Amino acid sequence: MAWVAAVVLVLEALAILFLNYALSVVVDRQHMSMAGMDPAAMSTGAWVLGAVFALYLVCCAALLARIAVRDRPPGTFGRIVLITCAVVHAVLGAFAVGLVGWTAFALLMAVLALLVLTLTAYGTAYGPGGSAPPATAPTHPTH
C-alpha cells in the first residue's frame, strides 16, 4: 500500500507542477494583477509556490517508498510528516468540492485514504526508547 501511495503522490506532484506552471503563464500573458502587484511577481510566486508544494509531496512519497522498502513503520518524524500530508489532502478536498467539483474531491479523498491506510497498516511497532520490541518465542507452561 505504501508503494501505491508513493506513486500517487509523485503523480500528484507532477500535476501540481504543471498546474502552477500553466497558471503562471496565464497570469504573465494576461498581465493580471491584484492590488497593484506586479504580474511578473505573481507569475513567479505561483511557480515557486507550486514547486515548493510539489517538493513536499515528493518528500512524502520518498518517505512512503522508504517505508515500503524497509517494511517497517515510520518513526515519529515520519509519522508527523505523513499526518500533515493527510491533513493537507483533507483540507484541499474540502476546498475542491466548491471550487473544482466532485471528481477532484474524490481523487483527493482517495489519496487521503491511501495515506491513512498506510499509517494504520504499519501501526507503531516501537517500544520504549524508540527501539523495536524484542521478538520472543512462545514458551510452554512449566509445572
Side-chain angles (χ1 to χ4, degrees):
M1 195 54 53
W3 278 117
V4 174
V7 169
V8 168
L9 283 181
V10 169
L11 292 175
E12 185 180 1
L14 291 173
I16 291 292
L17 272 177
F18 175 74
L19 176 69
N20 278 332
Y21 171 73
L23 287 174
S24 70
V25 168
V26 168
V27 166
D28 196 38
R29 289 188 182 165
Q30 295 294 321
H31 300 290
M32 294 179 183
S33 177
M34 286 181 15
M37 186 180 286
D38 182 31
M42 290 180 60
S43 174
T44 304
W47 178 240
V48 168
L49 188 61
V52 168
F53 187 57
L55 182 65
Y56 170 70
L57 291 175
V58 168
C59 288
C60 291
L63 180 63
L64 286 166
R66 181 175 180 243
I67 291 168
V69 166
R70 295 178 67 202
D71 198 28
R72 289 186 45 196
T76 303
F77 178 74
R79 187 170 297 281
I80 290 171
V81 169
L82 291 177
I83 289 170
T84 61
C85 190
V87 169
V88 165
H89 279 83
V91 171
L92 285 177
F95 283 126
V97 172
L99 297 175
V100 182
W102 287 102
T103 304
F105 173 78
L107 291 172
L108 286 167
M109 291 303 107
V111 176
L112 173 65
L114 286 171
L115 288 168
V116 171
L117 185 59
T118 301
L119 283 168
T120 56
Y122 282 93
T124 176
Y126 292 103
S131 62
T136 57
T139 59
H140 297 286
T142 57
H143 297 283

